[in-house]
Amino acid sequence: MNSVKQGRCLCGAVQYRIDGAFRRFLMCHCSRCRHATGSSHASNLFCKPDQLQWLGGTEQVQHFRLNEAERFARSFCRTCGAPVPHVSDDGRYVLVPAGSLDDEPGILPEAHIFCASRANWDLATEALPQFDDYPN
């Protein structure tokens, strides 16, 4: 199995690759991740900093750190606003937004975290009808 995964932002200005396996895959439901993604949760993969290689567009990467939070930060493309990987402040790990990958991550989500902050409307989504495209 190929352990090299490639990813990019929405517009393609920022491109990266991850060499090696991801260590964790967590779905975070904290209110900060919900606000940052505009969705019910953030889908975050974790790897070591030496696994990340930028292939292009690093000048387009903007980093934001929420000062009042112990661990919340995010990086995104200045052109399209899409999230891209970022190295933690302590340099111990890289957080990779799972949706930014072009390849399958090679790991399944292992847990939902901060579920006490989970949006009430997110609790029954699996029971909803599912479509391959827009519904009629």
Side-chain angles (χ1 to χ4, degrees):
M1 177 165 48
N2 185 358
S3 64
V4 175
K5 311 296 180 199
Q6 292 198 8
R8 61 183 171 83
C9 65
L10 179 62
C11 72
V14 179
Q15 299 178 11
Y16 67 91
R17 68 184 262 169
I18 303 294
D19 294 315
F22 289 104
R23 298 176 64 204
R24 301 200 84 171
F25 190 173
L26 301 172
M27 310 297 226
C28 184
H29 294 271
C30 79
S31 61
R32 292 176 177 136
C33 283
R34 286 191 290 112
H35 281 91
T37 63
S39 186
S40 62
H41 64 275
S43 301
N44 298 321
L45 294 153
F46 297 85
C47 65
K48 296 178 183 176
D50 63 357
Q51 292 177 255
L52 172 64
Q53 179 185 358
W54 295 103
L55 301 177
T58 55
E59 70 283 352
Q60 290 299 109
V61 176
Q62 178 71 45
H63 187 72
F64 172 76
R65 182 177 192 323
L66 190 61
N67 290 331
E68 63 267 20
E70 181 180 339
R71 291 189 178 183
F72 190 87
R74 63 186 300 261
S75 293
F76 55 92
C77 172
R78 290 180 189 190
T79 301
C80 66
V84 296
H86 73 269
V87 179
S88 64
D89 287 343
D90 62 11
R92 292 178 40 202
Y93 64 88
V94 174
L95 183 149
V96 179
S100 69
L101 285 175
D102 292 326
D103 301 309
E104 290 295 319
I107 183 176
L108 293 174
E110 65 185 80
H112 290 274
I113 60 173
F114 293 98
C115 291
S117 298
R118 192 171 190 168
N120 289 336
W121 50 265
D122 182 43
L123 296 177
T125 58
E126 285 301 312
L128 296 174
Q130 298 182 23
F131 303 92
D132 289 338
D133 208 334
Y134 287 112
N136 293 330

